[in-house]
Amino acid sequence: MKHTLNLSLLAMILAGCASTPSPEVVAGLNDDARKTAGGLIQTLGGELKAAMTAGGPAQAISVCKERAPKIAAEAAQRTGMQIKRVSPKNRNPKGVPDAWETEALAGLEKRLAAGEKPETLDTHSVVSTPDGKVFRYAKALVTQPVCVNCHGAAENLSPEVKAKLAAEYPDDKAIGYAPGMIRGVLSIKKAL
């Protein structure tokens, strides 16, 4: 009996193997994403601290609105990664989590509730999409004491912060947090 080779099947098998990254590649992507997230959070934190010192919490809102997207875009250009901040209680209308980010956030919340240190809260995976495999990474954005100046309970926000939020983010949902709560994730994607 003669066997014939189905070239279409072979091509599909090879394509599937070629697009599945090795554990070493995924570990490298995770390290890169962690470094990128850490650098972005550090840079944004420094700019927020400077704005708070110069003009208080109301001035810091402008940093989050104007500088944070630019800082993320600069990091994305350097790394080839897509970077955004998302939350189910979003301030930015473009900051709504997708299904993967929602699942990642739920997992990070469970880990925080189980006692894991906030600074270690991140997760990653490789997911299949119609366009191919994508590396996904999420770093928990844990509310720090200073964050409650703009993200705390509505009754505790200063009149200046309330006015600035109403002007800049009329549909704002990103309040009601206390220190130690996860208020969203820094989400990173890279096509493979």
Side-chain angles (χ1 to χ4, degrees):
M1 180 189 284
K2 188 174 182 180
H3 295 281
T4 60
L5 182 60
N6 183 329
L7 292 179
S8 296
L9 179 59
L10 179 60
M12 287 187 337
I13 292 169
L14 291 175
C17 291
S19 65
T20 302
S22 69
E24 295 80 17
V25 168
V26 173
L29 288 166
N30 190 48
D31 288 343
D32 291 346
R34 265 195 186 129
K35 288 176 190 166
T36 299
L40 206 149
I41 290 167
Q42 185 175 16
T43 300
L44 181 57
E47 292 200 22
L48 284 169
K49 185 177 180 180
M52 293 272 291
T53 300
Q59 188 166 332
I61 293 167
S62 296
V63 172
C64 282
K65 183 174 185 178
E66 297 164 16
R67 284 293 300 145
K70 290 178 183 174
I71 293 167
E74 290 164 4
Q77 190 171 32
R78 278 193 317 273
T79 63
M81 299 175 175
Q82 295 175 23
I83 305 167
K84 63 181 180 172
R85 295 173 299 154
V86 299
S87 174
K89 290 174 56 174
N90 57 307
R91 180 157 283 166
N92 179 340
K94 296 178 183 176
V96 178
D98 64 19
W100 185 88
E101 292 157 340
T102 299
E103 187 177 320
L105 186 55
L108 295 170
E109 291 276 4
K110 285 181 185 175
R111 289 169 48 194
L112 181 65
E116 190 168 331
K117 293 180 180 179
E119 60 272 14
T120 66
L121 294 171
D122 67 356
T123 189
H124 70 277
S125 64
V126 174
V127 297
S128 295
T129 72
D131 297 324
K133 303 269 185 193
V134 176
F135 172 79
R136 301 291 309 258
Y137 173 87
K139 170 73 176 158
L141 297 172
V142 179
T143 306
Q144 303 300 313
V146 70
C147 301
V148 298
N149 287 303
C150 299
H151 291 283
E155 62 273 10
N156 295 334
L157 300 179
S158 73
E160 296 82 18
V161 167
K162 286 180 182 180
K164 183 79 169 188
L165 288 174
E168 298 288 340
Y169 299 101
D171 297 320
D172 180 38
K173 296 179 237 161
I175 59 171
Y177 291 100
M181 293 175 71
I182 296 175
R183 68 176 195 281
V185 296
L186 182 64
S187 179
I188 295 178
K189 291 197 303 191
K190 185 164 185 157
L192 300 176

